[in-house]
Amino acid sequence: MKLETLHSLYIHELQDLYSAETQIKTALPKLIKGAASDDLKEALQSHLVVTQLQIDRLHDILTRHGEDCEGEKCQGMAGILKEGAKVLDEEGDATLRDLALISACQRVEHYEMAGYGNARTIAERLDEEADSQLLSDTLEEESGADDELTSIATILLSQVEVEHVV
């Protein structure tokens, strides 16, 4: 895509987010299966449902603008997900593995929040009020997911013995 206008940048950002979300939708079932904590499994399952809603929102926005959803593959998300998937292969304590999964998932959430925040700001500048509201809704969902992961991590951390290595 050629970036010639703010609108073309906006469409590029939306397509990038669409790619990121579809990659997340594919990755989440594997993470759910690999998690040991019931709370973490439930949070990830819930976010899988929300992810589909977010994909649908992006589809609606892009369609309204007469654009295809498919753009270039979001390489940033691909890298974050690839790195996070490595945690599933780690051996050892299940609680520590869940904490590593949470860390990986929070990297995903923060990447998404950056993307949605930027897209929302562009939508506001383009006076796309309906788009801006939908993107704000998604941004709130991503922030909520991040907060929930932090809460689960806090609980899991309380279950881990701290080793003092000199």
Side-chain angles (χ1 to χ4, degrees), residues 24-63:
I24 293 165
K25 181 182 171 187
T26 300
L28 275 171
K30 297 170 197 163
L31 299 178
I32 293 165
K33 185 177 178 183
S37 159
D38 288 338
D39 289 340
L40 181 55
K41 284 180 182 280
E42 186 178 311
L44 295 175
Q45 184 62 46
S46 174
H47 198 61
L48 180 58
V49 173
V50 171
T51 298
Q52 183 58 56
L53 294 173
Q54 294 167 346
I55 290 169
D56 293 344
R57 280 186 199 132
L58 289 167
H59 177 269
D60 291 347
I61 293 170
L62 285 161
T63 301

Side-chain angles (χ1 to χ4, degrees), residues 101-113:
L101 279 174
I102 289 170
S103 180
C105 289
Q106 287 188 296
R107 284 182 179 89
V108 168
E109 296 304 329
H110 287 235
Y111 187 91
E112 289 178 293
M113 287 187 284

Side-chain angles (χ1 to χ4, degrees), residues 103-160:
S103 180
C105 289
Q106 287 188 296
R107 284 182 179 89
V108 168
E109 296 304 329
H110 287 235
Y111 187 91
E112 289 178 293
M113 287 187 284
Y116 280 107
N118 288 332
R120 181 193 59 195
T121 300
I122 295 171
E124 289 170 353
R125 178 69 177 100
L126 293 171
D127 294 323
E128 295 289 349
E129 293 178 29
D131 293 5
S132 176
Q133 184 56 56
L134 292 172
L135 295 167
S136 289
D137 292 346
T138 299
L139 192 54
E140 287 177 26
E141 291 163 352
E142 300 298 1
S143 180
D146 183 56
D147 290 344
E148 184 176 15
L149 290 168
T150 296
S151 295
I152 295 167
T154 301
I155 292 166
L156 293 177
L157 281 168
S158 71
Q159 300 169 7
V160 175

